[in-house]
């Protein structure tokens, strides 16, 4: 019953699964993002205060959520790899880090583009912007640590440990930044995503979120394939897989 | 013959302190760095003394974090370079005990020294004497927490050629809560507001890292040493 689960520890099996899943995930992502973009950008009503500028939410919020989700995936994969010494875990973590960092960067860039007309400045020391920035720094730290070692196995484990340490720290950083902000200023805190959001705005957003999740899955599959191939380049099955 | 844990702890701390006091320049350099950085801020901003007080907590804390970071690199490096760390790891004592002893000794010669020097800097930045106690307590808690976070970072970056830059890159994002609450405590002490909340939060962070970080730092050493 559990064999499908145990098999996930085997690189050739994971390579095959990733190759099989990739097109489905990418297709689903394309559908969900297409619906979200068309409904969100063309059909959703403009916000009564922010006008059309609120439409940034359809890229910004899913990107911000995904930057955290990807971190959780990376930390979970790292923990699995450290505790049970499963090499595929390192491959998943290494494949996830740049994707998560890109989502964090995207959330920051779209947030500051939205901030220009709304706040009158590209950057405000809003708690969520600031903790997103720190999350990006942590991603960069994990990626640099992995690449700093000459022995890739050692770099993998060092980066995995840092990812696990970071997962304990991310909530602390987030709440202390929120607390810090409440000490200094309160005026710029803009509450997006109020529960009174009408369905015509909300459904495209949920669809975009689903689309981003599927897109992450698709990119993860491709990157994991590349990671596994690179890590197992001495193995016989890789030669078979490349020939066919 | 195997030493008891307490005796081994005392021996390692004693050895670390001896090594530090025989190289007094290594002791002083981070402190001088701390003084120089805090001197640079007023020069760069050319402020009136009254405005200085507004930025003082931030300046003090940023300088303290940077100066502690500067000395973190040496936490395991010397012993790792000459092979002492491997010998200690093979000595039969728990590696966690060795990490705890080294980090405590390191905090005594860097963090505590910084706390002792901080009133001089505080006077120069026009922080009122009444706020000194809170400031020193918050610095003590903050530098101890940073030493533990730094032990993880230093353990991970042993033997890397550009380890020092990487160490900052890893540790500074994790240290932001310290800066926020440490500066908040100092700022509130200056303005006469209640500092209990910020100090409790710093203390909580300190207890939290003291409990968990030794194991993370040990795991880090196991990865880089083997």
């Amino acid at each position: 019953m559990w064999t499908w689960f145990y098999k996930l520890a085997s690189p050739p099996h994971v390579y095959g699964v990733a190759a099989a899943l990739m097109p489905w995930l990418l297709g689903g992502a394309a559908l969900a993002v297409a619906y979200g973009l068309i409904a969100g950008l063309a059909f959703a009503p403009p916000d009564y205060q922010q006008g059309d500028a609120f439409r940034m939410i359809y890229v910004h919020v899913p990107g911000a959520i995904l930057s955290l989700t990807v971190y959780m995936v990376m930390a979970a994969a790292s923990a699995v790899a450290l505790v049970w010494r499963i090499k595929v875990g390192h491959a998943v973590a290494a494949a996830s880090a740049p994707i998560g960092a890109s989502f964090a960067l995207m959330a920051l860039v779209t947030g500051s583009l939205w901030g220009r007309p709304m706040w009158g400045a590209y950057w405000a020391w809003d708690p969520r912007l600031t903790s997103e920035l720190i999350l990006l720094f942590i991603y960069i730290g994990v990626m640099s640590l992995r690449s700093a070692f000459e022995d890739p196995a050692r770099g993998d484990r060092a980066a995995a440990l840092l990812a696990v340490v970071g997962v304990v720290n991310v909530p602390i950083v987030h709440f202390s930044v929120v607390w810090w902000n409440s000490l200094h200023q309160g005026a710029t805190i803009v509450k997006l995503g109020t529960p009174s959001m009408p369905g015509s705005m909300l459904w495209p957003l949920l669809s975009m979120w689903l689309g981003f999740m599927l897109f992450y899955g698709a990119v993860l599959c491709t990157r994991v394939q590349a990671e596994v191939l690179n890590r197992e380049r001495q193995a016989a099955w890789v030669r078979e897989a490349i020939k066919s | 013959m195997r030493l008891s844990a307490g005796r081994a702890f005392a021996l390692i701390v004693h050895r670390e302190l001896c090594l530090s006091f025989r190289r007094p320049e290594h002791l002083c350099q981070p402190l001088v760095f701390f003084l120089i950085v805090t001197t640079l801020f007023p020069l760069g901003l050319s402020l009136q003394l009254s405005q200085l007080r507004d930025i003082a907590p931030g300046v003090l804390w940023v300088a303290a974090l940077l100066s502690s970071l500067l000395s973190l690199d040496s936490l395991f490096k010397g012993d790792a370079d000459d092979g002492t760390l491997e010998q200690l790891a093979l000595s039969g004592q728990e590696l966690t005990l060795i990490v705890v002893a080294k980090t405590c000794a390191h905090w005594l010669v860097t963090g505590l020294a910084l706390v002792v020097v901080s009133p001089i800097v505080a006077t120069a930045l026009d922080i009122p004497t009444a706020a000194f106690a809170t400031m020193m307590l918050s610095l003590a808690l903050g530098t101890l927490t940073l030493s533990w976070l730094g032990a993880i970072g230093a353990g991970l970056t042993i033997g890397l050629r550009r380890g020092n830059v990487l160490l900052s890159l890893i540790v500074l994002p994790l240290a932001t809560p310290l800066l926020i609450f440490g500066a908040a405590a100092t700022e509130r002490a200056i303005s006469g507001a209640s500092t209990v909340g910020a100090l409790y939060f710093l203390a909580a962070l300190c207890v939290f890292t003291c409990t968990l970080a030794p194991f993370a730092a040990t795991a880090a050493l196991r990865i880089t040493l083997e």
Side-chain angles (χ1 to χ4, degrees), chain A residues 20-221:
Chain A
L21 276 180
M22 213 295 271
W24 295 98
L25 291 170
L26 197 63
L31 283 179
V33 168
Y35 165 74
L37 279 183
I38 294 171
L41 296 188
F43 295 111
D47 186 77
Y48 79 103
Q49 268 184 327
Q50 304 181 10
D52 281 329
F54 98 96
R55 294 181 202 279
M56 191 63 96
I57 194 181
Y58 294 116
V59 197
H60 175 74
V61 171
I65 297 174
L66 258 288
S67 68
L68 278 172
T69 313
V70 174
Y71 194 94
M72 291 302 156
V73 172
M74 181 176 83
S78 299
V80 167
L82 276 182
V83 174
W84 289 288
R85 306 203 163 230
I86 294 173
K87 282 190 233 154
V88 173
H90 289 308
V92 171
S96 289
I99 311 175
S102 313
F103 278 126
L105 187 65
M106 192 183 92
L108 283 172
V109 169
T110 53
S112 68
L113 285 178
W114 173 85
R116 184 72 185 89
M118 289 299 118
W119 295 336
Y122 284 113
W123 184 261
W125 290 97
D126 174 80
R128 274 174 292 181
L129 274 176
T130 313
S131 59
E132 189 74 31
L133 183 65
I134 294 170
L135 181 67
L136 178 64
F137 289 152
I138 295 179
Y139 269 123
I140 294 174
V142 171
M143 287 191 290
S144 332
L145 189 63
R146 188 187 307 278
S147 59
F149 285 84
E150 272 164 28
D151 173 13
R154 200 174 280 195
D156 273 342
R157 268 178 295 149
L161 184 71
L162 184 61
V164 174
V165 170
V167 89
V168 179
N169 226 292
V170 163
I172 299 178
V173 168
H174 179 76
F175 285 111
S176 45
V177 171
V178 170
W179 205 72
W180 157 72
N181 189 270
S182 68
L183 275 180
H184 284 248
Q185 47 164 341
T188 54
I189 299 174
V190 178
K191 291 257 183 283
L192 274 176
T194 41
S196 56
M197 194 181 218
S200 55
M201 286 183 183
L202 187 62
W203 285 111
L205 183 61
L206 291 177
S207 172
M208 286 300 280
W209 170 71
L210 181 68
F212 272 45
M213 290 283 276
L214 293 172
F215 177 72
Y216 164 57
V219 179
L220 182 67
C221 282

Side-chain angles (χ1 to χ4, degrees), chain B residues 9-10 12-21 26-28 30-31 64-79 97-115 140 142-155 164 167 171:
Chain B
F9 180 87
I12 297 171
V13 171
H14 179 73
R15 171 177 173 275
E16 293 292 318
L17 293 182
C18 273
L19 281 174
S20 303
F21 282 102
H26 285 197
L27 264 180
C28 297
L31 300 179
L65 283 186
L66 292 180
S67 141
S68 312
L69 205 62
L70 200 67
S71 54
L72 272 177
D73 192 42
S74 63
L75 178 52
F76 297 122
K77 202 167 184 60
D79 280 356
L97 178 84
I98 295 160
V99 170
V100 171
K102 282 185 75 74
T103 313
C104 286
H106 180 264
W107 178 73
L108 286 176
V109 293
T110 59
L112 198 60
L114 200 88
V115 174
T143 47
L144 185 56
T145 315
L146 188 72
S147 288
W148 284 117
L149 290 176
I152 304 174
N164 208 351
L167 179 64
V171 174

